[in-house]
C-alpha cells in the first residue's frame, strides 16, 4: 500500500478516559489509526487500544507527561519510527483547578500552564514535523474564551485556554500555505463536569437547558475534519453557556 492510501494517523493527548476516549472512538469510526497518549491511566489506555483493534483499527498507547518537552519529543520520535506520520493532532489535555486566584500558588500555576498550554505547544511543534500537507490540529478549549471574562476561580485554567486559542490562530495562519488547518472546539458544562449545576438549575447557566454530552463535542470535531475551508476558528459547543 502506498503512503497515500495508508489510513490517516491521529494522535490524541489525554486519550485514555472521558472526552479523549470518546474522541478516539469517533476518530477510529472515521478511519483513523490511533496513537493514544496517557500519563497515568495505563489500564484505561490498554483497554481502549484493545477496543479500537477489535473495531478493525491499528492503535497504540504511549505514556508521556506532555508538560515535559523531552517526553513529548520522545513520543513523536516513536511515532515517526512506527507510524511515520501524524495526520491529526488532538490537544485534549486540560487540567481544571477551580481554586480562587488569591490561593493560587506558583507551583499550581506552573503545573496548569505546563500541561494545558506548553504541553499543547510541544505537541504541535513535534507533530507538525510529521504532518503532511492537508493535516489537522484540533485543540479542546473552554466556552466563552472570546469574552475574556474575569474568573476568580480557575484563573490559571482560563489563562491556559485563552493562550491555546491565541496559539491556534497563529498556527492556522502560519501553516495555511500547506493546507494544514488548526482549530479549537470549546465545551461548556459537560455531563461529567466537576462543577455541573444540578439538573433543575442548569437552565440558569445553559440557555439550551441541558449539560453537554461527549458526543456533542465529537460531532463538532467531526465537522472540523470535514470543513476544508475552515481554519483558525473556535467553536463553542456549549448550549449557549456564557453567551
Ligand atoms: N469536562 C468538562 O465539563 C469540560 C468543560 C469544558 C472544557 N473541557 C475540556 O475538555 C478536555 C477534556 O476534558 P476532561 O474532563 O475529559 O479531561 P480530564 O479527564 O480532566 O483529563 C484528560 C486527561 O488528561 C491527561 N493529563 C492531564 N495532565 C497531563 C499531562 N501533564 N500529561 C499528559 N496527560 C495529562 C490525564 O491522563 P491520565 O488519566 O492518563 O493521567 C487525563 O485522563 C479538557 O481540555 C478540558 O479542559 C472539559
Amino acid at each position: 500500500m502506498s503512503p497515500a492510501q495508508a489510513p490517516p494517523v491521529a494522535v490524541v493527548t489525554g486519550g485514555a478516559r472521558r472526552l479523549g476516549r470518546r474522541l478516539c472512538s469517533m476518530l477510529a469510526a472515521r478511519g483513523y489509526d490511533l496513537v493514544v497518549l496517557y500519563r497515568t491511566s495505563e489500564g484505561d489506555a490498554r483497554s481502549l487500544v484493545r477496543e479500537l483493534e477489535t473495531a478493525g483499527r491499528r492503535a497504540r498507547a504511549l505514556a508521556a507527561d506532555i508538560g515535559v518537552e523531552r517526553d513529548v519529543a520522545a513520543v513523536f520520535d516513536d511515532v515517526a519510527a512506527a507510524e511515520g506520520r501524524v495526520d491529526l493532532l488532538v490537544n485534549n489535555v486540560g487540567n481544571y483547578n477551580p481554586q480562587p486566584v488569591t490561593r493560587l500558588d506558583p507551583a499550581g500555576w506552573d503545573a496548569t500552564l505546563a500541561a494545558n498550554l506548553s504541553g499543547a505547544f510541544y505537541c504541535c511543534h513535534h507533530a507538525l514535523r510529521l504532518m503532511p500537507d492537508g493535516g489537522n490540529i484540533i485543540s479542546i478549549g473552554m466556552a466563552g474564551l472570546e469574552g475574556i471574562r474575569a474568573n476568580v476561580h480557575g484563573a490559571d485554567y482560563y489563562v491556559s485556554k485563552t493562550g491555546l486559542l491565541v496559539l491556534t490562530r497563529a498556527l492556522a495562519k502560519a501553516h495555511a500555505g500547506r493546507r494544514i488547518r488548526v482549530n479549537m472546539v470549546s465545551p461548556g458544562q459537560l455531563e461529567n463536569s466537576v462543577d455541573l449545576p444540578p439538573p433543575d438549575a442548569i437552565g440558569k447557566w445553559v440557555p439550551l437547558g441541558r449539560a453537554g454530552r461527549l458526543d456533542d463535542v465529537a460531532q463538532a470535531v467531526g465537522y472540523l475534519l470535514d470543513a476544508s475551508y475552515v481554519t483558525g476558528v473556535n467553536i463553542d459547543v456549549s448550549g449557549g453557556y456564557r453567551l
Side-chain angles (χ1 to χ4, degrees), residues 72-153:
V72 176
V75 156
F76 283 94
D77 284 348
D78 191 319
V79 172
E83 285 81 13
R85 58 193 286 159
V86 176
D87 297 276
L88 167 65
L89 167 67
V90 179
N91 289 311
N92 168 68
V93 165
N95 293 324
Y96 177 48
N97 175 22
Q99 69 177 316
V101 67
T102 46
R103 288 208 213 116
L104 184 60
D105 62 17
W109 170 271
D110 286 349
T112 304
L113 272 289
N116 298 10
L117 183 55
S118 298
F121 172 72
Y122 304 152
C123 289
C124 291
H125 175 76
H126 288 288
L128 278 162
R129 66 182 158 95
L130 303 177
M131 191 169 282
D133 291 1
N136 279 278
I137 297 176
I138 298 177
S139 295
I140 306 299
M142 165 73 217
L145 285 174
E146 285 89 346
I148 317 184
R149 296 162 65 102
N151 281 292
V152 171
H153 294 85

Side-chain angles (χ1 to χ4, degrees), residues 13-20 37-42 64-67 91-96 114-116 140-143 157 161 186-194 214:
T13 71
R17 300 170 55 242
R18 293 165 55 88
L19 177 60
L37 302 190
Y38 68 95
R39 183 176 55 169
T40 57
S41 297
E42 186 178 355
D65 180 340
I66 66 157
N91 289 311
N92 168 68
V93 165
N95 293 324
Y96 177 48
N116 298 10
I140 306 299
M142 165 73 217
Y157 176 80
K161 293 293 187 179
S186 289
Q189 288 280 356
L190 294 181
E191 283 172 339
N192 64 11
S193 169
V194 293
L214 300 184

Side-chain angles (χ1 to χ4, degrees), residues 21 36 42-61:
R21 190 182 185 101
V36 179
E42 186 178 355
D44 290 300
R46 293 202 184 290
S47 78
L48 175 60
V49 164
R50 283 194 298 275
E51 216 175 280
L52 299 173
E53 286 174 340
T54 304
R57 303 263 37 109
R58 294 171 67 176
R60 295 198 300 141

Side-chain angles (χ1 to χ4, degrees), residues 197-204:
D200 59 343
I202 191 113
K204 189 174 159 203

Side-chain angles (χ1 to χ4, degrees), residues 11 13 23 26-27 32 88-92 124 131 136-141 164 168 181-185 217 220-226:
V11 177
T13 71
L23 295 178
M26 180 275 287
L27 293 169
Y32 282 86
L88 167 65
L89 167 67
V90 179
N91 289 311
N92 168 68
C124 291
M131 191 169 282
N136 279 278
I137 297 176
I138 298 177
S139 295
I140 306 299
L164 195 50
T168 294
R181 295 183 298 109
V182 189
N183 290 295
M184 180 177 257
V185 172
V217 183
V221 170
Y223 162 76
L224 285 172
L225 292 175
D226 293 336

